[in-house]
Amino acid sequence: MSPTADTTLVHAGTFAVLGPDGGLTGRGGSTPDGLFRRDARHLSRWELTVDGARPLVLVPLDEEDATATCVLTPPGTRDEPPAYTVVRELAVTSGALVERLRLVNNQPEPRTAHLALLVDADFADQFELRSDHRGYPKDDATRTAHTEPGGVRFTYTRRTWKSRTTVTATPAPETADPADPDSTAHRLTWNLTLPAHGEAELLLRAEVRPHGAPAPAEATDPASAAAQVNAAAADLLGPAPLPVPADAPAGLADACHQGLADLARLRVPATGPAGEEVLPPGAGVPWFLTLFGRDSLLTSIFALPYRPDPAAATLRALAATQGTRYDAARGEQPGRIVHEVRHGELAHFRQVPYGRYYGSIDATPLFLVLLGTYTDTTGDPALARSLEPHARAAVDWMFRDGGLAGGGYLVYTPDPDGLVNQNWKDSAGAVCFRDGTQAEGPIAVAEAQGYAYDALLRTARLARDHWADPAWADLLEKEAAALRARFARDFWMTAADFPALALDGTGRQVDALASDAGHLLWSGILDTARARHVGRRLLEPDFFTGWAIRTLASGQPCYHPLSYHRGSAWPHDNAVIALGLARYGLDDALHVLTSALAEAAAHHAGRLPEVLAGYSRTEHPRPVPYPHACSPQAWAAATPLALLASLEGRTPGQLSE
């Protein structure tokens, strides 16, 4: 671990990003620290001093078995070594951060240690913290702090919005005084008596209660919090490690184990259509620990052959949030599957459109793909039968508002107040021509047409086998065949011998060579000859870095190795491609790709990050990190499972040629 690296602890929708010394400084920008729940930072300062000085880091904070530990000392010299050793153990559970702080006396006589902990809660919304977002007026908000017998309580009020954070300690602090007249920060102090070569300890708890959130879990120390985390993860981890074939790429078994552990902790509380509690995977930390349509769906698809529960939870949660009316401000339309759900203050007051934001062209067909695949994989039609109305509404949306019945393709119009691009490459400028010019809408991205094709076929099977509606099944299959024919005619670029990234609003082919073409193998919309050609093309050096396939082929004017979507390499993107390679029997390419990704995971202690920089192995002997990647991140965590499934042939069945 780098001596300056942060450690992230996450469980049940709560996460903490802690520094090497176990502390929090109130940092913002692209790498904020803090204790977060429901899209806001509820603890921003957690700064320890011993005898008036900040202790030095001997062993930086590191996590093992859901508890993070670091070892610190006050300043000392070779001739006058530190009088104490400080051991901090921290854990996160639902709605709380707990710490055991242990002081060990290194001297042969009793001593009194003077401890102080600076604490504050700024209640900053995550959209405020991001360095690439403007400020948001909150003139009617009030922050207060009040001392209590065991510590201090911070409150935040804005009209009907009320949140609070309570910090308590055992033993109680001897003083709890304001640290700065211009803020709510308080300094808690203790004088701890240490026997000769003995020790003393503090137990600390920061309990956060965002507006509308349930009560935090009961946990008084890191051991009890870690026990809750590990118990909750048991269903995904299973009683034994996931069996991995002996000839699987080196590092894949470790990556699968780490991925399952991360998926267990990234699950977020949600409700299903009948109000039942479900735990779908949230997208990732620090920015996206919430229900995300596309991310949660693809994550669930990757995990499905080995762990079907996330898929069922995702389907129920997305059915419960499916669009029911027209609301242009957030892109809601009847039958449309939600892009993301936010619970923060700015979403509540609609200063951002993301409370329930529907700006996704692909979440709706992917919902249908997952529903069909889940039914085929588990052999249990009960969920498909209960969600039949939701599936029919989703199909209706694809034709009515999605665009299939109009121009023949799923299309989106850039949203100037939300997402300019509404496919998985949703950053501004990501859907571009070879020269870097952003396509103008309505935009039909290639991979969404493949998802729609697959969705129609899988829904047809459900209609015929489980909904007693063979006539509708015949109609959906006819529509799928027509879509496939149109796609072959309109998207294939003859000169490049490769699919276009998209069609712009005039029907012009968006000619950047992009990894999205690999998704067409997974969905089956390409014929065999073209699919196999595309699969081999993606393993050529301009696409393949030696670690993963780039989002855009290098050598094009639009390529940049550190661009979020225009030259970086995304593990989940590669997982979809791997499933497609397996579908078309491209075994050599599949083994090259899975081996490279497994090796990349090994360079990150088994945890694939959200995204890697696009530098090739020949340019650097290790995978170069992308500077703002989320980690852990759900679809990256599930990527090793998709790789394993592709190698084992446990991929969604081919429904047609």
Side-chain angles (χ1 to χ4, degrees):
M1 170 184 282
S2 164
T4 59
D6 290 330
T7 294
T8 300
L9 303 174
V10 57
H11 175 63
T14 301
F15 70 95
V17 180
L18 300 154
D21 64 352
L24 306 172
T25 63
R27 186 177 70 227
S30 61
T31 58
D33 60 2
L35 177 63
F36 296 83
R37 190 183 187 196
R38 291 172 72 93
D39 305 315
R41 180 164 67 185
H42 294 274
L43 186 67
S44 52
R45 306 285 293 278
W46 194 255
E47 300 178 50
L48 176 70
T49 56
V50 180
D51 290 345
R54 185 172 179 175
L56 307 176
V57 177
L58 291 184
V59 180
L61 195 71
D62 196 12
E63 180 191 1
E64 184 175 353
D65 198 28
T67 301
T69 305
C70 62
V71 181
L72 318 173
T73 66
T77 66
R78 183 173 61 181
D79 296 327
E80 295 185 18
Y84 325 110
T85 302
V86 183
V87 180
R88 304 184 75 173
E89 300 173 56
L90 301 103
V92 160
T93 190
S94 177
L97 171 72
V98 290
E99 175 174 357
R100 182 190 301 275
L101 194 153
R102 187 163 55 92
L103 272 76
V104 179
N105 184 2
N106 299 324
Q107 302 286 356
E109 63 275 342
R111 299 186 64 93
T112 298
H114 305 284
L115 267 68
L117 185 68
L118 181 67
V119 296
D120 198 9
D122 63 3
F123 298 99
D125 192 285
Q126 285 186 288
F127 287 95
E128 293 178 279
L129 291 172
R130 293 187 66 166
S131 58
D132 58 341
H133 283 72
R134 56 183 170 81
Y136 298 92
K138 296 165 52 170
D139 296 337
D140 50 349
T142 302
R143 287 172 54 203
T144 62
H146 303 281
T147 58
E148 297 185 344
V152 60
R153 172 173 291 196
F154 302 94
T155 60
Y156 180 85
T157 304
R158 183 182 175 195
R159 286 181 259 165
T160 59
W161 182 272
K162 296 180 180 180
S163 296
R164 66 179 185 268
T165 297
T166 305
V167 176
T168 55
T170 305
E174 297 174 23
T175 64
D177 298 322
D180 181 351
D182 297 324
S183 77
T184 57
H186 274 58
R187 182 170 284 105
L188 314 182
T189 66
W190 298 262
N191 294 302
L192 297 183
T193 300
L194 305 177
H197 288 300
E199 61 183 61
E201 72 175 30
L202 281 175
L203 290 177
L204 300 162
R205 175 178 166 94
E207 176 179 303
V208 303
R209 191 76 181 267
H211 182 83
E218 294 292 335
T220 58
D221 57 48
S224 60
Q228 293 176 4
V229 173
N230 292 327
D235 63 323
L236 286 191
L237 288 175
L242 196 68
V244 175
D247 60 350
L252 185 57
D254 289 343
C256 286
H257 180 78
Q258 182 63 59
L260 286 171
D262 286 338
L263 287 178
R265 296 177 189 178
L266 287 170
R267 290 181 292 187
V268 295
T271 56
E276 71 274 23
E277 294 184 2
V278 293
L279 288 171
V285 295
W287 301 118
F288 309 114
L289 191 61
T290 188
L291 178 67
F292 261 73
R294 177 191 309 118
D295 297 56
S296 300
L297 287 160
L298 283 174
T299 297
S300 299
I301 288 170
F302 295 168
L304 180 57
Y306 307 101
R307 299 291 187 268
D309 287 351
T314 294
L315 288 165
R316 290 189 174 100
L318 292 175
T321 53
Q322 188 174 28
T324 59
R325 60 193 178 96
Y326 288 97
D327 184 340
R330 56 187 191 179
E332 183 179 2
Q333 295 161 340
R336 194 175 195 181
I337 296 300
V338 75
H339 171 65
E340 66 182 282
V341 177
R342 293 286 184 174
H343 303 282
E345 171 196 0
L346 296 181
H348 175 81
F349 289 107
R350 300 195 76 161
Q351 291 177 274
V352 297
Y354 304 112
R356 279 194 187 180
Y357 183 64
Y358 291 81
S360 166
I361 194 61
D362 49 12
T364 305
L366 286 172
F367 174 84
L368 296 166
V369 170
L370 179 58
L371 182 61
T373 308
Y374 175 87
T375 306
D376 290 342
T377 301
T378 63
D380 183 0
L383 184 59
R385 288 172 178 156
S386 70
L387 297 183
E388 178 184 352
H390 301 277
R392 289 180 179 272
V395 172
D396 288 345
W397 176 85
M398 289 201 302
F399 283 95
R400 183 189 61 248
D401 298 306
L404 285 183
Y409 295 114
L410 289 184
V411 298
Y412 65 86
T413 300
D415 180 358
D417 297 317
L419 294 174
V420 173
N421 289 308
Q422 296 185 4
N423 61 326
W424 84 261
K425 293 177 177 176
D426 59 3
S427 60
V431 180
C432 63
F433 290 87
R434 191 176 183 276
D435 65 4
T437 304
Q438 164 70 34
E440 296 183 358
I443 299 170
V445 289
E447 75 274 14
Q449 315 316 317
Y451 303 159
Y453 170 76
D454 196 15
L456 292 172
L457 291 179
R458 293 188 184 279
T459 307
R461 177 184 288 191
L462 293 174
R464 181 173 289 112
D465 295 348
H466 305 297
W467 299 338
D469 195 346
W472 197 47
D474 291 343
L475 176 62
L476 294 180
E477 289 170 347
K478 180 181 177 181
E479 292 288 352
L483 173 58
R484 195 182 199 215
R486 288 195 300 275
F487 186 88
R489 179 193 69 207
D490 296 340
F491 274 79
W492 193 262
M493 299 187 296
T494 303
D497 203 22
F498 201 76
L501 171 57
L503 303 180
D504 72 3
T506 67
R508 185 169 51 142
Q509 292 177 337
V510 180
D511 61 355
L513 301 183
S515 63
D516 307 57
H519 293 224
L520 307 176
L521 279 66
W522 175 56
S523 65
I525 198 171
L526 294 179
D527 64 39
T528 298
R530 283 179 169 176
R532 292 175 66 85
H533 168 73
V534 168
R536 294 188 183 99
R537 177 69 181 84
L538 290 171
L539 269 294
E540 292 182 13
D542 58 343
F543 268 115
F544 184 55
T545 69
W547 305 112
I549 293 167
R550 298 180 177 98
T551 48
L552 289 180
S554 63
Q556 303 177 95
C558 53
Y559 168 77
H560 191 305
L562 290 174
S563 170
Y564 196 49
H565 288 127
R566 286 171 51 163
S568 57
W570 290 62
H572 93 277
D573 186 30
N574 283 253
V576 175
I577 295 170
L579 292 171
L581 296 174
R583 177 173 186 156
Y584 286 93
L586 294 167
D587 294 342
D588 291 344
L590 175 63
H591 282 277
V592 169
L593 182 59
T594 55
S595 296
L597 286 163
E599 188 177 351
H603 280 291
H604 293 85
R607 175 183 283 166
L608 282 168
E610 173 192 29
V611 55
L612 299 166
Y615 296 107
S616 71
R617 189 188 289 251
T618 59
E619 295 175 283
H620 196 276
R622 296 171 59 91
V624 177
Y626 177 79
H628 308 299
C630 290
S631 184
Q633 206 262 4
W635 57 17
T639 286
L641 302 176
L643 301 180
L644 180 59
S646 68
L647 292 171
E648 293 187 327
R650 300 178 67 173
T651 57
Q654 185 169 339
L655 299 183
S656 77
E657 162 46 26

